[in-house]
Amino acid sequence: QVQVVESGGGLVQPGGSLRLSCVISGDIISINLMRWYRQGPGNERELVAHMTNSGSTNYADSVKGRFTISRDNAKNTVYLQMNSLKPEDTAIYYCNANLARWGNRWGQGTQVTVSS
């Protein structure tokens, strides 16, 4: 009934940038909350950033000042702009949307690798 699809991952050198996209499609009534998570090698899945339906944002301390979450309501899309990337940012990045009616829905993940 609803789909969540991430894209934009890839290989980048330290100090580089990537922009991830998360597109929500299907029977959307409203989007309550958008979140980006990541899970690196040997690590637990952690919350990276979130944005409420009012536009307020929050970030993990490890990415604050480097990452920015934003949205395009007309496209039902949320973005994660990642700048000044570090090797420790290497992870699978997941989009999570809390939707009216449907609750939490997850994307399939997109791999980000930061390496020289």
Side-chain angles (χ1 to χ4, degrees):
Q1 301 294 334
V2 294
Q3 298 82 42
V4 179
V5 180
E6 306 101 327
S7 63
L11 174 64
V12 65
Q13 293 185 341
S17 298
L18 286 173
R19 189 180 74 161
L20 307 182
S21 299
C22 175
V23 179
I24 317 300
S25 61
D27 188 13
I28 301 169
I29 299 172
S30 65
I31 302 173
N32 300 317
L33 181 68
M34 300 294 302
R35 292 178 285 225
W36 285 98
Y37 289 81
R38 69 184 183 187
Q39 187 166 15
N43 295 325
E44 301 289 331
R45 185 173 297 188
E46 64 173 337
L47 178 64
V48 175
H50 76 254
M51 173 176 282
T52 69
N53 61 0
S54 65
S56 64
T57 61
N58 202 8
Y59 300 90
D61 288 341
S62 59
V63 307
K64 195 171 299 181
R66 300 187 297 120
F67 290 12
T68 303
I69 187 171
S70 61
R71 67 186 181 190
D72 185 334
N73 290 335
K75 298 179 179 179
N76 288 321
T77 300
V78 64
Y79 304 95
L80 185 68
Q81 179 67 46
M82 305 184 295
N83 298 325
S84 301
L85 283 162
K86 305 174 181 180
E88 51 263 45
D89 296 318
T90 295
I92 302 174
Y93 284 72
Y94 298 91
C95 179
N96 174 267
N98 184 268
L99 308 172
R101 178 179 179 182
W102 303 110
N104 285 333
R105 291 291 184 271
W106 292 86
Q108 81 289 348
T110 185
Q111 177 70 48
V112 172
T113 302
V114 184
S115 176
S116 298

